Each structure stands twice: as C-alpha cells, then as structure tokens.
Amino acid sequence: MKQTALLGRTAGLRPSALRRLERLAHRRHPEADGADLLTLQRLAAESRELELPLSLVLDGRGLCRLLWVGPLEQSGRLLERLPGGPRRAGGSLRLITCVGRAKQLEPQGGEAVVGLDLQPRLWLRYGDSPGGGGRWQAGAYGPGADPQHPWSCLLQGELDALCDYSPAEPEAPAASASRATPGVERVLLLVLSPADPQEAQRQVAELEGLVRSAAAAPVGLVMQRHGQGSPQTVWGEGKLREAALEARRLGATLVVTDRELTPAQARNLERLLDLPVSDRSELILDIFAQRAASGAGRLQVELAQLRYRLPRLTGRGLSLSRQGGGIGTRGPGETQLEKDRRAIARRIDKLQRDVQKLSAHRARIRGSRGGQRRLALVGYTNAGKSSLLNALSRPAEGQAVLAENKLFATLDPTTRRISRPDPAGGPPQTLLLTDTVGFIRDLPPPLLEAFRSTLEETLEADQLLLVVDLSDPGWAEQVTTVHAILDSLESTAPRRLLGNQIDRCSAAALEQARQLDPEVLFVSATAGLGLQHLRDWLFQAPPGTKQAV
C-alpha cells in the first residue's frame, strides 16, 4: 500500500482518530483536477472533532502525499517530509485545507507563506460545517501578484461545485522560475533604518555591497523604522510577515539583516520567516572566508568563525535531545550537541595557540627591520589603500597587491619598501609602507580579536595614514568609525588624514576635509594626482606628526 505521511500536531491524538485520518489519507481523488466530495466531508467531520484545521497535499494522479494536522506552519519541515524526494518546481500539486472554525477562507499570515513554498496548482479551502440552508461555502485560490494578497480567489461557491473545478490556465508563481535557475544566492535585505533618510540610504548601500562581495545577489529590501520592533525579533511581527511574503515573491533563498542578532533572535526570525537568516556579522565573516588566500588569513578567519558560531550552535533530532535521567543522575550520556561544543572549544584552543605563534613570528620579522621608518595605510574598506600602495611602490609585473572595487578585497598585510635618492647625494632613503585589512562599522568582535596579530602591523607603525575615499558621500562617518576602532585597539601612533579620489569628489568634500584636518594630504591613486607630493612628505615628515582630529 502507498505510504502516506501523517504529520503535524499528531501527538496526543487517540489511536482511533489516527486510524480514521490514515484511511482518509489513502482515499483517491480525481486525476489532474478536482477532489472527492465524500472525502472532504469526512475530513471536515474530523476537523470538527479535533478542533484543528486539516490539509491534504495531492499529486497529479490524485494520490494524497501528505495529511497535515493543525495550522500550516514551518514549510521547511513540511517539504522535507513530503514522500518521494524533493518536489519538482512547478509541479501539479493540489492543496486542500479544511480551515476548521475559521470564518476567513483566504490564506493569511504564515499559512499563506507555507502555501507559496508548496507552490500548488490550486488551493481549495472550506469550513468544517455547512452554513444556512445546507450551503457549504468554499473557495479556490491561486498564487496572486499583489504582495498584500499573495493568494487570489479564482472562484467562490459551494463545496460540491468546486470539487469539479478546473482552472483554465494554471500559472506557477513568479518565484518558481528563480528558484529553479541555478546560480548565485538570492538575498532579501531586512533593515532597521535610522531616522535620517540619507544615513539609512548609506547603510542599505553598504549592506548591498557586502552581499555582492559575498558573491550573492540582493533582490529585495524590507525596511522598518528603528524602535518599532520587539526585543525577541528586533522587527515587528507584521513587518516580518511582509518580509516573508516579499521573499517568496522575489524567490529569495536567504534573508540578511543589517545588524548582529543574538542566537535567540536568529532562531525567532528563522521561525517566522521560514527561511535561513544571516546577520551582518556572519556575512562579513563569510566574505573574509572567501577572501582568505594565505595560511595565516585562513587560520584567523576560522578562529573568528568558530568564536562566532559556538554560542549559536544548535541541534536537531533525537540525537541532540535533552539528557535523560532523574535527580542526581547523569542520564544516558552526553548529547551530540555537547560533544560538538567540546570539539569546537578544542579547535578554538589550538587555533589560538597557532595565532600566538603567528604573532611571535611577525614580531621577529618586525625586529629584523630595525632602524627603518614604518608607516601603515589604514582606513575604511574599499577606500583605495591597496591602489595607493601599488602607485607608491611601483611593483614589478605580477607583484602588485590585489586592488579591486569590492569590500575586503585585501586581508593579509603587505609591506613594501619605498625608496628615493638622497638629495644630499648619500645612499637612497628608504621606508616601509604596510597595507592592512580595511575597517567597517560594527566590525564583528570575534573577527577583530582573531585578526589582532595582523593588526599589530598597524599598531606597531611609526605613523598611520588614514586613507579616505572623498567621493563616497559617507566618508566623514567612515573617518569617525576608523578612529573609534583604532582607539579600541589602543593605537597611539600619530595619524594623518589622506584624501583619496580627488579627481572624483566635489569641492565641498575637499573643504570639509581641510576643516577636519588642516594638514590633510590629497591624492588620487588611480589618476596619479598628488603622488609626488605625498612621496616627498613621507620622507620629510618627522615621526611625531600631529594626529588628525
């Protein structure tokens, strides 16, 4: 006999009720379209007795593939338990729901989201009992184009008439094609915006840049004003329902938030959105993992990822259930979750020892350079530090530092020797210039801690050149962010503001930079403007140059 899944809120049901539901699940319906009226009436009787909605998932042959007890929720669980492997996108499934005592037939809230994930050809919905005059009202629904009403009513009438209903031209939802197309991950951005519209626009643009740097595609945006959410979910429940529907409409496979989430908040969001959720910190860690090219970089990224994920480690299934036993007993043994946590803790300890060795190795290298003046380029990510280092060092072909128009293109510190002839006729003058990893607002603390050995190249420098892209509208806030991060690292080296991209910025930006630091240096690394003046300053400026405010 065909195996039918009986799932949902089945715990606590009497064996007789389970047997009746099993018999209903094994009844056959017409092929292609329609439903068996007698089966639906008996399903309504069971719904009345259990006081729960009941749903049938039928395939194209009229066979029931799944009977779900209770409200439709958590489509991930439902799709995983559909027999016969992954459901084909754009298939001929039919969904039939007896809504119980609910007076509203139109799919609402989370139930509408689950229906969109199932992508049925038709959704027949009806109550658990007939109305006045014996008329049993029902409705046939199909995916709609209106985000506020994701399911449109195709036909409304009596149940017996709708059992023979066949839609003329069934259409798969728009998201179906995007899910079926292999390629980059499609991301919906979930943002808690500040009151300032310009600041909100800059933050959204930065988040989009992070998503693209992670080789994903931002396909949609859902925003809510700061302070209108709840501590448990950050965003309001109504806004999250809107985000869930928008994600289905756009075919998004991942939701990325613009702020770090606690483990409980991440779980709550995944439950309400019924989609994987990554916060901004996890996104940055993923970018670093993709960019890490050297062994030292991969070592530090792995350490940061493990530190971030350890408190968020959760388990599923019976193997990760709670320990058994009574008072004073240990139970049957450690859970798999505890074993995983201990294994990660051991791995973190090993990585910390390796990072300490790396730090000692770099300290020896710095010691071997004794007597040479050292400067470091610091600044916001994608401000042009690597391009500037290439322009000043003039490396041979194939030895240039990677410089791309993307966030966090460079992770590993690179030091180049800069030299020029001595005007007095002596030996050439030399200094060391280091390019370091870029900063960003709200940099994840695990990442900052893991990369401390890399940042020591910055902390030990005699002078810091704070590179800023003056063509970026938010460059002033970026300067504040970089100063705050350097202060948190207890950096004491003098800092000098270096305005880059002067060929693309406005005159107002130049004047604002002068007000911020009267001795600011202006260059364009790509256009070659101001480089000779900067080179002269590098060799003439004393180590104790005044720090920029």
Side-chain angles (χ1 to χ4, degrees), residues 321-337:
S321 59
R322 60 170 296 180
Q323 296 177 9
I327 298 176
T329 65
R330 182 65 177 168
E334 294 178 308
T335 65
Q336 184 62 41
L337 185 59

Side-chain angles (χ1 to χ4, degrees), residues 271-288:
R271 175 178 55 83
L272 292 172
L273 295 171
D274 211 354
L275 278 173
V277 175
S278 292
D279 61 16
R280 185 174 178 274
S281 296
E282 187 174 7
L283 180 62
I284 295 175
L285 288 172
D286 288 342
I287 295 172
F288 271 60

Side-chain angles (χ1 to χ4, degrees), residues 430-461:
T430 62
L431 57 84
L432 299 177
L433 186 61
T434 300
D435 175 29
T436 60
V437 62
F439 298 143
I440 198 170
R441 67 178 181 87
D442 300 328
L443 198 64
L447 192 61
L448 202 59
E449 182 63 29
F451 273 77
R452 181 171 286 273
S453 63
T454 294
L455 295 173
E456 285 176 357
E457 301 292 332
T458 298
L459 302 178
E460 297 294 330

Side-chain angles (χ1 to χ4, degrees), residues 121-123 139-143 151-156 162 165 167-168 170:
R121 184 167 179 258
L122 182 71
W123 193 350
Y141 295 87
W151 290 92
S152 59
C153 183
L154 304 177
L155 184 65
Q156 218 167 17
L162 264 65
Y165 174 67

Side-chain angles (χ1 to χ4, degrees), residues 346-482:
R346 286 198 298 266
R347 180 64 177 165
I348 288 176
D349 289 340
K350 181 182 182 305
L351 292 175
Q352 285 176 330
R353 292 193 296 271
D354 292 342
V355 168
Q356 290 173 357
K357 293 178 182 178
L358 175 65
S359 177
H361 172 68
R362 285 179 170 161
R364 288 193 295 270
I365 293 178
R366 287 193 299 270
S368 66
R369 302 168 179 163
Q372 298 191 70
R373 187 160 177 253
R374 295 171 297 173
L375 295 93
L377 301 173
V378 299
Y380 216 74
T381 179
N382 205 28
K385 299 182 298 298
S386 299
S387 298
L388 185 59
L389 180 64
N390 290 332
L392 291 172
S393 62
R394 300 167 185 168
E397 184 176 356
Q399 297 183 357
V401 180
L402 177 65
E404 295 183 1
N405 186 22
K406 58 175 62 173
L407 304 182
F408 301 114
T410 304
L411 293 187
D412 299 304
T414 303
T415 300
R416 292 282 188 265
R417 180 176 282 104
I418 311 295
S419 61
R420 75 163 186 175
D422 186 359
Q429 297 176 331
T430 62
L431 57 84
L432 299 177
L433 186 61
T434 300
D435 175 29
T436 60
V437 62
F439 298 143
I440 198 170
R441 67 178 181 87
D442 300 328
L443 198 64
L447 192 61
L448 202 59
E449 182 63 29
F451 273 77
R452 181 171 286 273
S453 63
T454 294
L455 295 173
E456 285 176 357
E457 301 292 332
T458 298
L459 302 178
E460 297 294 330
D462 300 317
Q463 178 92 32
L464 299 182
L465 295 178
L466 202 162
V467 183
V468 59
D469 181 0
L470 293 179
S471 65
D472 191 317
W475 69 266
E477 291 78 8
Q478 294 175 3
V479 170
T480 302
T481 297
V482 173

Side-chain angles (χ1 to χ4, degrees), residues 161-425:
L162 264 65
C163 281
D164 299 326
Y165 174 67
S166 175
E169 295 182 1
E171 296 181 359
S176 173
S178 60
R179 285 196 187 95
T181 303
V184 297
E185 186 121 45
R186 299 172 63 84
V187 176
L188 177 73
L189 307 180
L190 188 58
V191 175
L192 205 62
S193 66
D196 184 2
Q198 293 184 344
E199 176 66 18
Q201 187 176 3
R202 286 194 294 267
Q203 292 184 9
V204 170
E206 182 177 278
L207 187 61
E208 288 181 350
L210 288 172
V211 170
R212 291 192 176 93
S213 296
V219 296
L221 170 67
V222 174
M223 299 182 67
Q224 179 174 312
R225 289 286 298 273
H226 188 78
Q228 295 179 348
S230 66
Q232 292 76 21
T233 58
V234 186
W235 287 264
E237 191 169 336
K239 184 61 67 174
L240 292 176
R241 282 197 298 268
E242 176 187 333
L245 294 173
E246 184 72 0
R248 271 69 183 182
R249 185 180 71 85
L250 298 171
T253 56
L254 176 69
V255 175
V256 171
T257 67
D258 69 330
R259 60 202 60 241
E260 185 170 339
L261 303 172
T262 66
Q265 289 171 343
R267 288 193 296 269
N268 291 336
L269 285 179
E270 288 191 343
R271 175 178 55 83
L272 292 172
L273 295 171
D274 211 354
L275 278 173
V277 175
S278 292
D279 61 16
R280 185 174 178 274
S281 296
E282 187 174 7
L283 180 62
I284 295 175
L285 288 172
D286 288 342
I287 295 172
F288 271 60
Q290 294 177 23
R291 298 282 191 274
S294 66
R298 289 192 293 269
L299 173 72
Q300 294 171 103
V301 168
E302 183 183 359
L303 177 58
Q305 286 181 318
L306 291 178
R307 281 175 169 167
Y308 174 83
R309 291 172 180 169
L310 181 59
R312 292 163 173 81
L313 188 64
T314 57
R316 297 178 181 175
L318 296 176
S319 63
L320 304 185
S321 59
R322 60 170 296 180
Q323 296 177 9
I327 298 176
T329 65
R330 182 65 177 168
E334 294 178 308
T335 65
Q336 184 62 41
L337 185 59
E338 285 182 319
K339 294 177 182 177
D340 291 343
R341 283 175 174 157
R342 193 167 63 251
I344 291 178
R346 286 198 298 266
R347 180 64 177 165
I348 288 176
D349 289 340
K350 181 182 182 305
L351 292 175
Q352 285 176 330
R353 292 193 296 271
D354 292 342
V355 168
Q356 290 173 357
K357 293 178 182 178
L358 175 65
S359 177
H361 172 68
R362 285 179 170 161
R364 288 193 295 270
I365 293 178
R366 287 193 299 270
S368 66
R369 302 168 179 163
Q372 298 191 70
R373 187 160 177 253
R374 295 171 297 173
L375 295 93
L377 301 173
V378 299
Y380 216 74
T381 179
N382 205 28
K385 299 182 298 298
S386 299
S387 298
L388 185 59
L389 180 64
N390 290 332
L392 291 172
S393 62
R394 300 167 185 168
E397 184 176 356
Q399 297 183 357
V401 180
L402 177 65
E404 295 183 1
N405 186 22
K406 58 175 62 173
L407 304 182
F408 301 114
T410 304
L411 293 187
D412 299 304
T414 303
T415 300
R416 292 282 188 265
R417 180 176 282 104
I418 311 295
S419 61
R420 75 163 186 175
D422 186 359

